[in-house]
Amino acid sequence: MKLAEQDQRPLSRLNDTVDAGWTRLASRMPMAGGARRMLVLVVVAFASFAALKPAVFLSVTNLQNIAVATPEIGVIAVAMMLAMLTGGIDLSLVSTANLSAITMSTLFTAISANDPGQAERMVPVIVLAGLGVGLLGGLVNGLLVAGLGITPILATLGTMQIYNGIAVAWTGGETLYGAPSSLTALGLSTVGGIPTLFILFVAVAIAIGVLVSRTPLGLRIQLQGANPTAARYSGIASRAILLRTYTLTGLLGGIAGVLFLARNPTASADYGASYVLLVIVIAVLGGTNPSGGAATVFGVVLATLTLQIVSSGFTAMRLSAYEYAIAQGVILVAVMAFDSVRQRRRRRRRRPWRTALRRGSPDSSRPGTP
C-alpha cells in the first residue's frame, strides 16, 4: 500500500505543479476564466502554426483571410451565446442569415433589372430589408419560446426547418448571384491593413458585451438564465426578457446575412450548413454555460479566432476538412475535461471545511485556528 502511494506522489506533484502554473498565469490576466483560457489557446495555436509553416501561415494574405472569415461566424456565435445565456438555444440562426442574404440579393437583382443606378442608390433600404427579415425571424422564435412556452431547442429546430424550406422554395434550390457593388467593395476593403468586416465584427461584439454587462436588460438576461424561478419571483418579466433576447439574436442573424453577402456576392439556402454546430462549440469554448446565466463575449471572440487560426493552419499544412473537424472535437473535449478536473479539485479542497462545520468541530487546517 505504501509503495502504491509513493508511486502516485510524483504524478500528484506534477498535477499540482501544472494547476499552480495555470493559476499563476490566469491571475496575471484580469478577465473572465473562459476568456483567459481562450487567450492562451489563441497564442498557442498561432505560435504553433507560425513555427510549422511560417512562409504560408504568416503571409499577409493568409492573415487577412483569417480576419475576413472570422466575422460571419463570430456574429452568429455571439448570437448563440445570447440565446444560451438565457438557458436556451437558437438553432435557426444560420437559416435566418441565409434568408436575410437571399432577400437582399433578390431585391437588388429585381431593381437593377430596370435601373442599375437606382439599385445601387437603394442599398441602405435593401440592407434594412435584410435586417428586417432577421428581426422578424427572431421575433417568431421569441413568440414560440416566450409566448407559447415551447422548449427553445424544439422551437428553433422547427423554425430552422421552416426558414430553410422558405429559402429553398424561394431560390428553387439554386444559388442567387447579385449583390450591390458597394457591399462587395466593403467586403474587400481594409482599414490600416485590417479588413473592414473584422472591424465591424469587433464593433458588434463590443455593443453586445456592453449590453450584457452594463445594462439592466443584460443583467435580467443573466438572472433569467441563472435561475428562472428566482428571476420570476424577483419581479423580472421572464416572457418579455426571452422575447427581447430572441428578437435580438434574430437581428444578429440578419447582420450575419449582410456579412455573407459582403464577403461573397451570392446567396443560397445551404450556405454555412456546418456553422450551426460550429457556433455552439465556439460559444461553449468561450466560457458560455450551456445551462445559462454565465457567458463572456470576449471569450466567444477569442474562441472564434482560435478555430479560424486552426482551420487556416490545417489548410497551410494541407490537412483535410475531416481532420479539422476532429481537431474541433479534441479542443472542445480537452477544454471541458480540464475545467471538470479543476472544479473537482476545488470541491475537494473545500470539503474538509464543510465537514468540520457540519460536525461543529474546529478545523486545524483553517487559517487562524490554533
Side-chain angles (χ1 to χ4, degrees), residues 231-282:
R232 186 169 61 252
Y233 283 106
S234 298
I236 294 176
S238 297
R239 291 185 176 182
I241 294 301
L242 290 174
L243 182 62
R244 293 177 186 177
T245 302
Y246 280 95
T247 302
L248 181 56
T249 62
L251 177 60
L252 290 173
I255 294 174
V258 176
L259 297 178
F260 284 2
L261 208 57
R263 184 186 175 199
N264 185 11
T266 62
S268 64
D270 60 351
Y271 183 82
S274 62
Y275 286 179
V276 178
L277 294 179
L278 179 59
V279 295
I280 294 174
V281 171
I282 289 173

Side-chain angles (χ1 to χ4, degrees), residues 2-158:
K2 292 182 179 179
L3 289 175
E5 291 178 356
Q6 290 176 356
D7 291 340
Q8 291 178 358
R9 286 175 184 172
L11 180 60
S12 177
R13 286 197 296 268
L14 177 61
N15 290 335
D16 291 341
T17 301
V18 172
D19 191 47
W22 174 265
T23 302
R24 286 195 301 270
L25 179 61
S27 64
R28 295 173 184 173
M29 294 182 286
M31 58 183 76
R36 286 196 298 264
R37 176 182 62 204
M38 293 317 305
L39 184 58
V40 172
L41 288 179
V42 165
V43 173
V44 170
F46 190 91
S48 299
F49 291 114
L52 292 170
K53 286 287 183 179
V56 178
F57 185 79
L58 294 178
S59 66
V60 175
T61 300
N62 184 64
L63 295 179
Q64 288 186 339
N65 286 338
I66 293 174
V68 168
T70 298
E72 60 185 37
I73 300 174
V75 169
I76 299 176
V78 170
M80 183 64 74
M81 179 218 72
L82 268 179
M84 295 176 74
L85 189 57
T86 66
I89 197 169
D90 190 348
L91 300 178
S92 68
L93 284 167
V94 177
S95 298
T96 302
N98 282 330
L99 199 56
S100 173
I102 289 169
T103 300
M104 290 183 288
S105 181
T106 301
L107 285 175
F108 176 77
T109 302
I111 298 172
S112 63
N114 297 322
D115 188 348
Q118 180 68 16
E120 290 292 344
R121 289 191 295 270
M122 291 189 66
V123 169
V125 176
I126 293 173
V127 170
L128 285 176
L131 296 179
V133 168
L135 199 67
L136 180 60
L139 179 61
V140 171
N141 289 335
L143 291 174
L144 293 175
V145 174
L148 298 181
I150 301 176
T151 304
I153 190 171
L154 297 179
T156 57
L157 179 63

Side-chain angles (χ1 to χ4, degrees), residues 167-206:
V168 172
W170 189 333
T171 62
E174 298 179 354
T175 300
L176 301 182
Y177 295 90
S181 60
S182 57
L183 201 58
T184 55
L186 180 69
L188 297 173
S189 64
T190 61
V191 177
I194 302 174
T196 305
L197 294 184
F198 186 80
I199 295 174
L200 292 175
F201 165 52
V202 171
V204 170
I206 291 174

